[in-house]
Amino acid sequence: MPFLADSLSRVKPSPTIAVTTRAAELKAEGRDVIGLSAGEPDFDTPENIRDAAKAAIDAGKTRYTAPDGIPELKQAICDKFRRENGLSYQPNQISVGAGGKQTLYNALVATLNEGDEVLIPAPYWVSYPDMVLLAGGNPVIVEGSADQGFRITPEQLEAAITPRTKWFIFNSPSNPSGAGYSREQLKALTDVLLRHPHVWIMSDDMYEHIAFDGFEFCTPAEVEPKLYDRTLTCNGVSKAYAMTGWRIGYAAGAVELIAAMRKIQSQSTSNPCSISQWAAVEALNGPQDYIAMSRDAFQRRRDLVVRMLNACDGIHCPTPDGAFYVYPTIDGCIGKTAPSGKVLETDEDFATELLDSEGVAVVFGGAFGLSPAFRVSYAAADDTLVEACTRIARFCEALK
Ligand SMILES: Cc1ncc(COP(=O)(O)O)c(C=O)c1O
């Protein structure tokens, strides 16, 4: 009898962690490595939020809470949805977890049976397919190629739906491409979903607030109110308020689904950190200046990185609508030989050679289900980004 669960053999280790580990090894050897692989803002959590956490500790708010969130945070989340998204939820429709990741995972565990399919547009956030596999479902990938702006078409969505489709995962702006769906583009998808009442929608709105050039963020339950009852609207404070380490994410949806997610959380992790919950209350209810400040900084950096990468031989870098990633395609580099003598057959080869020869850590496109490409996280200081892009240009120039 094997000791480890069968479900584990279906899951691969996180490729982003593999890159980060290799970069750390090179650093330990004394190499000068620039890491552009991490998916988190490089800013500090705003002071008002840090102060709220300190006050919570001093006020003794350090005990167990309700398993899926304190009433004050659930109310702040309901207010946020009403204020920012025109969506009306009651506190019993809200689940708070240890990061967006836990709420997404809970929803999948709560609903997937063997053979259930989950539609995932590629390029996708690395965790979606593996979370589906761990929860016992089958990920079905729908490819949003570069020439489609990394978006899927309504025809592709229609063709991918089967009687076993349980969820459609939607993420706009997207990790890793930064592509966002306009209201019109999203409406074309929700029109398809209206025709298939057995499909539920999991909208991962994690990058809602990081959107550029006036891109208007929209979310399925708001664009098509007829889908409200079968949409789980997911979000969190990690990216919006530079709170990745605090571990607070949340989801809003049908009372029955939220109750099922609560059951799972109450028998696994119990409540997310009490102090972080109070910090999240302040994040959502307090001053919102950080959002505009970080958005402006990310837009400036995006422009810098897109311009510099497009000047590199063999690289084409589309301009993303949001998030803090670019997803350049590298068809022009594949098949060439690196200075080490290695022929670049895949984007993984490209990323490995780039790290080894120039000390720049990026994540290869294969990890996100769309190749050949790589992801750069530009949540780094401007001069770091200039240096990194200069090295990438040198690397590309040296390819023969
Ligand atoms: C698209 C997307 N969804 C969800 C998450 C998870 O966020 P959290 O840190 O709140 O768990 C991430 C984090 O990288 C993400 O990129």
Side-chain angles (χ1 to χ4, degrees):
M1 188 175 74
F3 178 59
L4 295 178
D6 294 345
S7 58
L8 219 59
S9 65
R10 309 196 324 142
V11 175
K12 51 181 184 338
S14 164
T16 43
I17 291 177
V19 176
T20 315
T21 309
R22 177 77 187 124
E25 278 168 15
L26 288 176
K27 260 189 187 158
E29 287 167 16
R31 290 278 306 277
D32 167 23
V33 175
I34 303 178
L36 300 181
S37 56
E40 59 181 346
D42 55 321
F43 299 109
D44 288 333
T45 305
E47 194 174 0
N48 61 309
I49 300 174
R50 302 199 306 264
D51 286 346
K54 292 175 201 163
I57 296 174
D58 291 339
K61 291 169 173 165
T62 51
R63 301 182 184 277
Y64 291 134
T65 74
D68 63 351
I70 54 176
E72 291 82 351
L73 180 52
K74 290 190 177 185
Q75 190 55 54
I77 292 166
C78 291
D79 295 345
K80 173 257 179 289
F81 278 124
R82 193 163 293 120
R83 183 177 68 236
E84 296 181 347
N85 309 107
L87 286 170
S88 172
Y89 290 109
Q90 299 305 313
N92 65 350
Q93 292 180 278
I94 306 292
S95 177
V96 183
K101 204 171 208 169
Q102 190 183 23
T103 51
L104 295 164
Y105 184 62
N106 282 348
L108 293 169
V109 170
T111 54
L112 292 182
N113 291 311
E114 205 185 318
D116 284 349
E117 295 170 0
V118 178
L119 300 184
I120 303 174
Y124 46 72
W125 178 42
V126 287
S127 293
Y128 296 142
D130 292 293
M131 288 199 293
V132 169
L133 288 167
L134 266 180
N138 291 339
V140 175
I141 308 303
V142 186
E143 199 172 290
S145 58
D147 55 9
Q148 295 176 190
F150 300 120
R151 296 177 192 90
I152 62 160
T153 63
E155 293 76 23
Q156 286 179 296
L157 178 60
E158 181 79 58
I161 294 173
T162 76
R164 292 309 306 263
T165 308
K166 187 153 267 174
W167 287 102
F168 166 56
I169 300 185
F170 178 74
N171 176 220
S172 160
S174 141
N175 175 6
S177 71
Y181 287 74
S182 69
R183 181 169 292 270
E184 213 182 358
Q185 287 162 338
L186 177 52
K187 183 76 178 61
L189 298 185
T190 58
D191 283 349
V192 172
L193 293 159
L194 277 179
R195 294 197 286 275
H196 300 276
H198 66 292
V199 180
W200 283 60
I201 300 97
M202 188 175 284
S203 185
D204 181 351
D205 299 350
M206 198 51 84
Y207 295 95
E208 164 177 16
H209 287 300
I210 310 175
F212 313 126
D213 304 326
F215 173 81
E216 188 214 346
F217 169 83
C218 51
T219 190
E222 178 247 325
V223 166
E224 181 42 85
K226 291 196 201 97
L227 292 178
Y228 173 90
D229 288 339
R230 53 183 168 109
T231 298
L232 187 68
T233 305
C234 306
N235 210 319
V237 295
S238 298
K239 319 282 176 171
Y241 302 98
M243 292 178 69
T244 46
W246 299 74
R247 309 312 300 135
I248 296 292
Y250 53 87
V255 173
E256 198 190 358
L257 171 61
I258 295 295
M261 291 164 64
R262 182 185 314 126
K263 197 172 181 181
I264 291 165
Q265 195 155 294
S266 70
Q267 296 295 20
S268 52
T269 59
S270 290
N271 63 274
C273 169
S274 59
I275 301 152
S276 298
Q277 290 190 66
W278 285 102
V281 170
E282 173 62 19
L284 294 174
N285 289 347
Q288 301 292 305
D289 340 333
Y290 168 83
I291 290 180
M293 182 286 289
S294 66
R295 188 199 298 127
D296 291 349
F298 285 135
Q299 177 157 341
R300 190 184 65 242
R301 294 165 177 183
R302 176 202 65 168
D303 292 342
L304 184 160
V305 169
V306 167
R307 181 173 43 76
M308 289 192 75
L309 289 180
N310 273 324
C312 299
D313 292 343
I315 291 185
H316 171 64
C317 185
T319 304
D321 302 302
F324 38 73
Y325 311 104
V326 289
Y327 200 66
T329 52
I330 53 167
D331 303 75
C333 301
I334 298 300
K336 290 192 174 171
T337 306
S340 67
K342 166 97 187 144
V343 177
L344 305 184
E345 279 164 15
T346 62
D347 51 22
E348 186 166 4
D349 292 342
F350 177 94
T352 307
E353 288 295 314
L354 177 64
L355 180 55
D356 285 346
S357 71
E358 289 290 349
V360 179
V362 299
V363 186
F364 60 97
F368 307 99
L370 196 104
S371 292
F374 65 97
R375 187 192 76 173
V376 166
S377 166
Y378 54 82
D382 295 31
D383 48 357
T384 306
L385 295 171
V386 169
E387 174 60 20
C389 292
T390 305
R391 294 188 195 184
I392 295 172
R394 193 163 59 210
F395 176 72
C396 290
E397 215 178 296
L399 296 177
K400 290 280 170 300

